[in-house]
Amino acid sequence: MTLDKGFSRRDFLKGTGALVVAFSLPRFLMPSAASARSAAVGPTLVDPNLIDSWLAVGGDGHVTVYTGKEELGQGVATASLQLVAEELDVPMSAMTLIQPDTWLTVDQGYSAGSQSMKTEYATGLRIAAAEARLALLNLASAKLGVPASQLAVSDGVISVQGDASKSMSYAALIGNKKFDLTITGKAKPKTPDQYKVVGTSVPRIDIPSKILAQFTYTQDITTPGMLHGRVVRPPSLDAKLLGVPDFGGQSMPGVVKVVVKNNFIGVVATEEYQAINAAATLTAKWQTIPLPDQARIYEIIRGSPSLTDRVLENSGDVDGVIKNAPKQLQATYYYPYQMHGSMGASCAVADVKANEATVWSSTQGVYQLRGALATLLSMPEQNVHVIYVEGSGCYGLNGADNVSLDAALMSQAVGKPVRVQYMRHDEHAWENYGTAMVLEARAGLDDTGHVAAWDYATWTASRGNRPGPPGNVPTGVMAGFPEMPAPKSPPPSPPLGPDGSNTVTSYTFPSQRVITHSVASRFFTGPLRSPSRIQNTFANESFMDELAYAVNQDPIAFRLKHISDPRLIAVIEGVAELSQWVSRPSPQANLTDRLLIGRGIGAMQYEGTGAYAGVVAQVQVDTKTGKVTVQHVWAAQDCGLTINPDGMRLQAEGCVVQGVSRSLREEVQWNAQGITTVDWDTYPVLRFPDLPQFDFRIINRPDKPVLGAGEVVITGLVAAIGNAIFDATGARLRQAPFIPARVRAALTV
Amino acid sequence: MVCHENKLLPIRSTVWEQCPFSAVATEGNMALTINVNGKQYAVRSDPTTPLLYVLRDELHLRGPRFGCGLSQCGACTVILGNTTIRSCVTPVVGVTTGQVTTLEGLMQDGKPSAVQQAFIDESAAQCGYCTNGLMMSATIFLRQNTNPSEDQIKQALAPWLCRCGTHYRVIRAVLKAAKARV
């Protein structure tokens, strides 16, 4: 990228409203491998209250749109542009989307938690585009001398209704000029019945360039004079570096510097493979603290002192009701640490100068990462420029933020731009894993077969989080930055209510107690697609199945007796119909064959306030080997208004593939020295031949707000598969993943 | 020297493909040339450097990508002659006599190949990081099997990983590409 004649987006935003000429917006704004800059520091604020912060119309009518929500491969870029295309009546082909950049785009928080489309719809681009449309109509009204109410817009041209000869294009009205208008909230966005673009399966804008090798990933970023870095990690996070690392007397060609900061080690070399070789050769001595025995990990988690206790629900005399209930049941479930497992090892490029830094990163929050980098580099935040570039799919907090810290530390140490990419074992062994949890459920059933009281408690092993502070991710800690202390427990009364993590079920119980405990973890943890929600739903939905079995009822019929929300009922009935669910109690009758087939359900409202899904799985269990094959998955999903049905389906397909993989195979493993699941052989994921059939139904509700679609189906899937195994065999799996050894063990109980 | 032995880690790796050579000469820093996408290039790197780094860092190609460096995931796949190889574990000296094709080289007269077009038509990517390997393997597979079944496609693609879960569309795309080629 080259900036035309010294103009920049910042100059444009700082400008006075005068005509800005001599550049074409879309061309100069591509956030690619560019470092041409006219000043060292960024703007104090990209003001979310200004239309100009969200979009600009070029002299040719092309609309450049600025988002604070990162495209992570999930399709939000396309869906976001659909919102703008709809409100502005501009074709998709006449728009360019600029990805988050601390110099260019509004701080919309993390692109996480399936919140991107919900946010863009409720408070972001849709609102800004509606304001821009109103402003353009007002301008045209003044110029054409016709009330705005008599104007119509088509393909970026405003014309008088009934007299197409009187018209003005957006380009003629405001091309290359600023709106200079505050977002008032007065503009009325279109209503769903007017939608032509929203609600249709517009093809993904990024796919052709990805297919044709023309797309720029973070891994493709280069800058002049760039060096290559690799990290050298300790055996485990709490190890202390002893002495000075060396190459054992070998001469390593191309090595520029071995960067050491506290327990952080990076090797910088001229060529990439030189850096790889040097990092592999470097010898460092470490004082280590043995990791806990993995065979006892759940016992350790359950027995650890709780750092934070939260009482979410405590209604009625739970202990008394359960004690006096005619039927009582209790069960404990276990969920392992799991990996994001991005296909591309994380990568970042940092160019750190004396008092300014530019970092190209696949972070989920450019502003949040900027804060971490500013602390790490001892610079004012404004002097750190973070540019988002899409990397490999992350599904949460993979190594993308962490590697940005690595690159920044190495670049600062050598005074030159450094590109750092992880080796596979760096990614596998050092990402912030999805948390391991112990989940205990207890309930009393009344004479009518209803749950009279529900008692649920969880123990979550967690450490670190998103940046924030550098100490939230491994590199920050190794470089000597403090970890965030665990928050204090709030008082038990009054109860806090649902925590957005599906800890509290979607069911109505007359009496319930729900408590969470947070305990220490030796590994770093962080959000992984359906964080805590998948673990809680595995436990809650498995336990509901156990209760249905206890009263000899069909699992769906039993659930429906405890639901009042019509939208949850609709997805459950929807998936029952889609999967041709036959109502009967589990398990199925024939338990004698070697190969047994069963079906199970998992359902919930995501986070208690989000989208709804009912998920049914059909499995085949080989009772001799314990191997489980997921043959078919059905899902019905309600995300309110659907913006892009095919995009939603693609997310659901991803949920199925990743969810089956996590249900059947995935478990982080370690020994006393360190993580042993360091590649795709030791941490296997689902492959093509293991793909289940998948049928999906979208329950579109144009009158309801947009809800995130990225992680709904996966949340119910682990339980659905576990329940299907029970239906097939009569054996209950209470520990994920459902590997053959665990299935065999459950079959012999 | 065996392809699947990775000196960085004491870990045995699944061997998905035959090593395209049995031994390599690594004496001295002789000038190497390789043929990539129909053009001859002089190689600056050491002969033992995996082809992937030469393609990316010297030739500035973006199709093949680093995923694991262990011949496990397939993101780095390129075509050598008429077979796929994992460029992350193949020393550049091993391909000096063959014709290397990368994702960029699938384009014909500036137009997407049948496989590429089918992947576009079926939206067969999410993040797209692994898609290179899937398209390269599909290209070779369809040369050998012009009318594959869905199961045959699944088996053929088994050595390639995708984490986003684009599998359903990839299968549809390969079926579509097979039809387009007939």
Side-chain angles (χ1 to χ4, degrees):
Chain A
M1 165 177 103
T2 342
L3 298 182
D4 287 3
K5 311 207 168 154
F7 279 111
S8 74
R9 162 77 171 164
R10 286 184 309 111
D11 297 330
F12 182 73
L13 288 175
K14 278 182 190 165
T16 56
L19 189 68
V20 181
V21 291
F23 65 87
S24 151
L25 281 164
R27 190 151 52 85
F28 87 84
L29 286 169
M30 291 304 291
S32 59
S35 54
R37 307 192 296 276
S38 53
V41 296
T44 47
L45 177 72
V46 180
D47 188 350
N49 298 312
L50 299 177
I51 294 176
D52 295 316
S53 297
W54 298 92
L55 57 91
V57 179
D60 55 358
H62 197 93
V63 179
T64 305
V65 180
Y66 301 86
T67 178
K69 292 291 189 184
E70 291 83 5
E71 166 68 55
L72 308 167
Q74 81 282 48
V76 297
T78 305
S80 298
L81 281 189
Q82 280 181 258
L83 296 178
V84 181
E86 187 68 70
E87 295 302 332
L88 277 184
D89 277 310
V90 167
M92 290 287 290
S93 57
M95 295 192 296
T96 302
L97 186 71
I98 301 302
Q99 292 285 315
D101 179 320
T102 56
W103 280 18
L104 302 178
T105 63
V106 169
D107 180 0
Q108 289 183 280
Y110 297 113
S111 191
S114 297
Q115 294 295 301
S116 294
M117 291 323 301
K118 184 178 166 183
T119 306
E120 294 291 28
Y121 192 83
T123 59
L125 280 172
R126 171 172 159 265
I127 305 303
E131 293 277 343
R133 178 196 179 93
L134 178 64
L136 287 159
L137 283 170
N138 288 339
L139 276 175
S141 168
K143 296 219 171 177
L144 295 170
V146 174
S149 60
Q150 292 173 24
L151 297 172
V153 190
S154 177
D155 283 355
V157 177
I158 299 176
S159 53
V160 177
Q161 286 175 13
D163 184 1
S165 65
K166 285 186 184 170
S167 69
M168 282 197 83
S169 69
Y170 286 174
L173 285 165
I174 203 158
N176 283 345
K177 284 184 282 188
K178 289 173 66 177
F179 284 90
D180 257 337
L181 290 171
T182 304
I183 292 173
T184 58
K186 283 180 188 160
K188 277 191 184 160
K190 289 184 184 175
T191 50
D193 56 297
Q194 298 172 292
Y195 286 165
K196 292 182 218 134
V197 184
V198 171
T200 66
S201 293
V202 171
R204 284 265 298 268
I205 57 173
D206 52 330
I207 286 181
S209 61
K210 287 175 172 174
I211 299 303
L212 302 177
Q214 293 160 354
F215 192 81
T216 303
Y217 292 94
T218 322
Q219 285 84 353
D220 300 318
I221 295 286
T222 57
T223 59
M226 186 182 84
L227 302 172
H228 292 272
R230 286 296 184 277
V231 295
V232 177
R233 299 298 197 209
S236 61
L237 183 59
D238 300 297
K240 283 193 169 54
L241 179 63
L242 303 172
V244 181
D246 61 56
F247 294 111
Q250 291 190 58
S251 101
M252 298 308 298
V255 170
V256 174
K257 189 166 188 173
V258 176
V259 180
V260 179
K261 184 168 186 180
N262 196 36
N263 294 311
F264 169 85
I265 305 175
V267 178
V268 182
T270 311
E271 303 280 349
E272 188 170 14
Y273 198 57
Q274 292 171 335
I276 293 169
N277 275 331
T281 308
L282 193 78
T283 305
K285 286 188 186 133
W286 302 95
Q287 183 184 42
T288 60
I289 306 167
L291 291 170
D293 179 8
Q294 180 161 17
R296 292 180 54 239
I297 188 62
Y298 294 118
E299 192 187 319
I300 293 166
I301 289 172
R302 177 66 177 79
S304 294
S306 184
L307 305 174
T308 313
D309 302 312
R310 288 193 168 88
V311 178
L312 307 183
E313 298 284 349
N314 196 1
S315 58
D317 174 19
V318 169
D319 289 322
V321 174
I322 292 178
K323 192 180 167 195
N324 294 320
K327 267 195 177 143
Q328 299 148 22
L329 213 66
Q330 65 176 48
T332 305
Y333 302 88
Y334 308 95
Y335 200 92
Y337 291 105
Q338 291 183 327
M339 289 183 199
H340 302 76
S342 292
M343 292 308 305
S346 294
C347 179
V349 178
D351 184 3
V352 182
K353 296 190 163 63
N355 197 32
E356 59 171 304
T358 307
V359 179
W360 290 266
S361 169
S362 308
T363 178
Q364 287 176 276
V366 289
Y367 282 95
Q368 293 70 24
L369 176 61
R370 182 179 73 164
L373 290 167
T375 308
L376 186 84
L377 300 171
S378 303
M379 279 183 197
E381 282 200 0
Q382 241 184 291
N383 297 25
V384 180
H385 182 189
V386 180
I387 302 168
Y388 174 76
V389 189
E390 190 178 335
S392 184
C394 63
Y395 330 107
L397 184 60
N398 69 344
D401 286 297
N402 205 38
V403 78
S404 306
L405 271 60
D406 293 316
L409 283 173
M410 289 189 228
S411 176
Q412 188 177 43
V414 298
K416 287 185 175 163
V418 178
R419 173 189 186 272
V420 178
Q421 183 162 21
Y422 286 150
M423 302 308 289
R424 179 44 51 190
H425 54 275
D426 299 324
E427 185 84 25
H428 262 51
W430 288 91
E431 57 159 87
N432 288 48
Y433 299 132
T435 52
M437 288 178 76
V438 175
L439 316 100
E440 288 185 0
R442 201 163 68 100
L445 290 152
D446 67 18
D447 290 328
T448 65
H450 286 74
V451 174
W454 176 276
D455 191 14
Y456 183 73
T458 66
W459 286 258
T460 305
S462 64
R463 179 177 187 180
N465 206 332
R466 298 182 184 282
N472 274 9
V473 292
T475 293
V477 174
M478 284 184 274
F481 290 86
E483 295 182 48
M484 293 272 282
K488 277 191 176 168
S489 302
S493 189
L496 302 167
D499 61 353
S501 294
N502 290 100
T503 320
V504 178
T505 70
S506 305
Y507 301 106
T508 308
F509 302 130
S511 168
Q512 65 174 329
R513 178 170 59 201
V514 179
I515 300 174
T516 68
H517 308 278
S518 187
V519 305
S521 165
R522 283 293 300 277
F523 311 114
F524 261 41
T525 60
L528 164 61
R529 201 173 197 168
S530 192
S532 302
R533 294 114 175 105
I534 201 169
Q535 293 92 327
N536 280 313
T537 305
F538 164 52
N540 285 329
E541 283 295 273
S542 295
F543 196 55
M544 280 301 276
D545 241 55
E546 299 208 41
L547 293 169
Y549 170 68
V551 292
N552 198 34
Q553 288 183 23
D554 171 73
I556 286 184
F558 179 76
R559 281 171 172 77
L560 291 175
K561 286 180 183 170
H562 296 87
I563 303 174
S564 51
D565 187 336
R567 292 174 74 178
L568 185 56
I569 293 170
V571 292
I572 291 175
E573 289 181 340
V575 77
E577 186 184 273
L578 195 64
S579 65
Q580 297 182 300
W581 180 275
V582 177
S583 185
R584 56 164 175 76
S586 291
Q588 52 89 26
N590 168 18
L591 297 176
T592 53
D593 289 352
R594 174 174 167 178
L595 297 178
L596 300 175
I597 291 175
R599 86 292 192 254
I601 185 165
M604 48 52 251
Q605 180 184 19
Y606 187 67
E607 299 183 338
T609 53
Y612 300 81
V615 185
V616 168
Q618 177 182 303
V619 302
Q620 176 186 275
V621 182
D622 184 331
T623 53
K624 191 170 178 199
T625 62
K627 184 179 191 295
V628 176
T629 305
V630 179
Q631 297 177 317
H632 206 138
V633 174
W634 299 264
Q637 180 169 297
D638 168 1
C639 291
L641 169 73
T642 304
I643 295 171
N644 186 318
D646 192 58
M648 187 176 285
R649 169 177 280 276
L650 187 47
Q651 283 299 295
E653 290 172 8
C655 278
V656 169
V657 175
Q658 216 171 86
V660 172
S661 188
R662 287 172 70 180
S663 299
L664 298 186
R665 301 183 180 191
E666 296 184 30
E667 182 165 22
V668 173
Q669 294 179 53
W670 63 90
N671 59 25
Q673 285 77 44
I675 297 287
T676 54
T677 42
V678 292
D679 64 7
W680 297 117
D681 279 358
T682 49
Y683 192 85
V685 296
L686 204 75
R687 292 179 184 273
F688 273 89
D690 309 311
L691 202 62
Q693 285 186 61
F694 178 46
D695 287 294
F696 184 52
R697 177 182 291 180
I698 296 170
I699 299 176
N700 186 26
R701 296 193 187 275
D703 57 325
K704 300 288 183 192
V706 172
L707 298 166
E711 44 200 339
V712 201
V713 169
I714 198 172
T715 304
L717 189 51
V718 186
I721 292 170
N723 292 338
I725 294 170
F726 177 78
D727 185 59
T729 64
R732 174 59 62 181
L733 272 292
R734 299 193 182 93
Q735 181 173 346
F738 312 133
I739 55 173
R742 285 192 191 119
V743 175
R744 286 199 306 271
L747 283 165
T748 57
V749 171
Chain B
M1 183 172 190
V2 186
C3 274
H4 68 277
E5 277 181 2
N6 187 289
K7 60 184 178 147
L8 299 183
L9 280 175
I11 288 166
R12 285 175 59 86
S13 178
T14 314
V15 186
W16 290 105
E17 287 158 351
Q18 286 298 309
C19 185
F21 54 92
S22 55
V24 292
T26 57
E27 288 168 24
N29 222 346
M30 56 191 171
L32 292 180
T33 61
I34 54 173
N35 186 294
V36 180
N37 299 331
K39 282 189 189 164
Q40 205 73 16
Y41 294 91
V43 175
R44 176 181 83 219
S45 297
D46 184 272
T48 57
T49 305
L51 175 62
L52 176 67
Y53 304 105
V54 176
L55 295 175
R56 290 188 59 85
D57 296 341
E58 290 194 43
L59 276 57
H60 304 293
L61 294 169
R62 294 173 172 194
R65 300 183 187 108
F66 178 87
C68 66
L70 302 164
S71 186
Q72 291 178 348
C73 74
C76 67
T77 304
V78 299
I79 292 170
L80 179 66
N82 214 17
T83 185
T84 56
I85 62 166
R86 306 282 168 113
S87 68
C88 72
V89 292
T90 307
V92 63
V93 71
V95 301
T96 49
T97 56
Q99 307 261 332
V100 175
T101 305
T102 70
L103 184 59
E104 288 88 347
L106 292 189
M107 304 270 285
Q108 291 145 2
D109 305 325
K111 287 184 180 152
S113 72
V115 167
Q116 288 174 311
Q117 190 58 52
F119 270 67
I120 292 172
D121 292 345
E122 294 295 334
S123 291
Q126 287 195 39
C127 81
Y129 196 91
C130 72
T131 315
N132 165 66
L134 297 168
M135 287 188 284
M136 300 312 271
S137 66
T139 299
I140 292 301
F141 171 66
L142 290 175
R143 283 184 197 165
Q144 295 152 357
N145 186 341
T146 53
N147 188 23
S149 69
E150 200 171 309
D151 273 349
Q152 287 171 329
I153 294 169
K154 286 182 183 173
Q155 291 303 327
L157 294 179
W160 279 267
L161 295 177
C162 163
R163 186 63 164 159
C164 290
T166 326
H167 301 61
Y168 297 97
R169 286 144 198 266
V170 169
I171 293 166
R172 284 211 307 272
V174 177
L175 285 168
K176 186 169 193 168
K179 288 206 182 87
R181 290 160 61 96
V182 170

